Amino acid sequence: MKQEETTPEQRPPARLPLWANPRIGLVVLLIALIALFTTLRPAFLNTQLTLVPMQADISVYAVVGLSQLAVLSLGHMNMAVGRMAAMSAFASGLLHDRLDAPLLVALAGGLAVGALLGALAGLVISRTGVNSFVVTLALDFALIGLVSLLYATFTDGVAFNGLPAGMSALRTDTFADYCAGDVCGPEIPLLAPIALIAVLGVGLLFRWSRVGREVLMTGANAKAAELSGIPVRWRVVQAHALSGLLAGLAGFLLSANNGSFSAGVGDGFLLPSFLAPVLGGTLLVGGAVSVLGTVLGTAITQVIYKGLNLLQFQVDELKLYIGLVLLAALSLDRLRHVLAERRGVPA
């Protein structure tokens, strides 16, 4: 009996080899960096000096990266991510300072402010058609002045004095401080599970929910998405609201890590917010995101920063070398994609 020939259209697509998988590349790079810095400075693996603080920083900046990822899914940008975090931190601090709000209420208030600011940006973008870069940059400038005025009006300086009960523990404690008999938890800061919940939530949203899939379809081709019946304008508002909410969560985590609600929260958020998702494989043009890649990108950035810091590099040198290493990592990732394409494997 003659066998039917398989046409090119019927052949299953070639699978991506391990060497061309960007996540594998990020894991290999992360392991190589840890090995390098451990060899140069054995103190890099010191739990209290390096590992616990680094885990706390990764927790904060992973959420910062997710905040930018939420709008990169559309091919948009949020240039006000740092100032949204500052406004959210102010709202949380004000609720506790004036109303003696407990920790969860203060957190919820801050998240609501962040989400509202993001939704406002999304509404302006969707209704006017103005580029997201312009809208969020204008919002950033407006919020810079507003944050300063609000702190000057409601505080004695640039920070609230008190913290809600339990917030200090988020800064200082790890699970190893809590024991059941002789069994204690691991040396993981209490901030980490909060960030993990955010990571899982965003991952599930874009992987399994209808809203997440429609946001990605809007980012891939807004006109085709609209013709398919997707409420494009509403999805834009929702994506920006999510970005603002995550920026608010990042502001709260950084406030807990720093030990105060201050006007400086979010000042260093903008560059890391792009570095982590882009390094992790999220497309700037929209339509594809990588939550796991964002976490790995954040980890790589923080490992580089901590390692160079232990090697006693100056602040300007830190920025220079972090930029060079990340540029090299992005270039290698692009090279891997080109080689995969030449071999006929989709990257």
Side-chain angles (χ1 to χ4, degrees):
M1 184 176 178
K2 187 178 179 180
Q3 292 183 339
E4 294 183 3
E5 294 185 1
T6 303
T7 63
E9 291 79 7
Q10 293 174 326
R11 290 172 188 160
R15 298 184 66 180
L16 189 69
L18 287 177
W19 61 266
N21 189 309
R23 307 309 158 262
I24 299 296
L26 290 174
V27 171
V28 171
L29 177 60
L30 180 61
I31 294 172
L33 287 169
I34 293 173
L36 173 64
F37 289 127
T38 302
T39 302
L40 296 174
R41 282 288 186 275
F44 185 81
L45 292 182
N46 183 283
T47 301
Q48 295 302 321
L49 176 66
T50 306
L51 295 183
V52 170
M54 185 165 62
Q55 289 178 74
D57 289 340
I58 290 173
S59 299
V60 173
Y61 287 99
V63 179
V64 173
L66 292 177
S67 175
Q68 196 65 249
L69 175 142
V71 292
L72 287 176
S73 64
L74 293 167
H76 290 189
M77 298 181 183
N78 184 359
M79 304 300 293
V81 61
R83 234 51 62 187
M84 289 180 181
M87 279 297 299
S88 297
F90 171 81
S92 296
L94 184 68
L95 283 171
H96 173 68
D97 186 67
R98 297 304 168 94
L99 302 178
D100 198 26
L103 181 64
L104 292 179
V105 174
L107 172 60
L111 295 181
V113 168
L116 286 173
L117 288 172
L120 174 62
L123 186 64
V124 172
I125 293 165
S126 64
R127 294 297 179 182
T128 65
V130 177
N131 188 279
S132 61
F133 175 87
V134 176
V135 172
T136 57
L137 186 62
L139 180 61
D140 182 65
F141 277 108
L143 291 179
I144 288 175
L146 181 59
V147 168
S148 298
L149 287 173
L150 289 173
Y151 271 96
T153 302
F154 291 97
T155 71
D156 296 330
V158 293
F160 288 102
N161 294 322
L163 290 173
M167 193 164 175
S168 296
L170 291 176
R171 179 190 184 192
T172 59
D173 292 0
T174 68
F175 285 98
D177 297 314
Y178 301 89
C179 303
D182 296 331
V183 180
C184 299
E187 292 283 358
I188 296 175
L190 300 185
L191 293 179
I194 302 174
L196 179 61
I197 291 171
V199 169
L200 293 175
V202 174
L204 291 172
L205 173 71
F206 284 109
R207 178 72 175 177
W208 299 109
S209 77
R210 176 180 176 180
V211 171
R213 291 194 298 268
E214 289 184 350
V215 167
L216 291 175
M217 291 173 66
T218 300
N221 191 324
K223 187 166 291 186
E226 192 167 14
L227 291 173
S228 300
I230 294 173
V232 170
R233 289 184 176 181
W234 180 230
R235 294 295 176 251
V236 169
V237 174
Q238 288 176 314
H240 278 270
L242 176 61
S243 178
L245 184 144
L246 290 167
L249 178 59
F252 176 84
L253 293 178
L254 184 61
S255 298
N257 207 24
N258 291 343
S260 67
F261 294 110
S262 66
V265 168
D267 283 351
F269 277 5
L270 186 59
L271 181 59
S273 76
F274 283 100
L275 282 177
V278 173
L279 185 61
T282 295
L283 300 180
L284 288 172
V285 294
V289 297
S290 175
V291 174
L292 176 59
T294 298
V295 176
L296 291 172
T298 303
I300 288 171
T301 305
Q302 292 304 314
V303 164
I304 293 171
Y305 180 83
K306 291 294 183 183
L308 294 180
N309 194 29
L310 281 176
L311 293 173
Q312 299 181 342
F313 281 77
Q314 300 297 320
V315 175
D316 292 337
E317 291 176 318
L318 278 173
K319 294 179 180 178
L320 172 63
Y321 285 107
I322 287 175
L324 290 175
V325 171
L326 290 173
L327 180 61
L330 289 170
S331 300
L332 289 172
D333 183 65
R334 178 57 187 162
L335 177 62
R336 188 167 55 249
H337 278 260
V338 171
L339 291 174
E341 290 172 1
R342 286 181 179 178
R343 293 194 179 194
V345 180

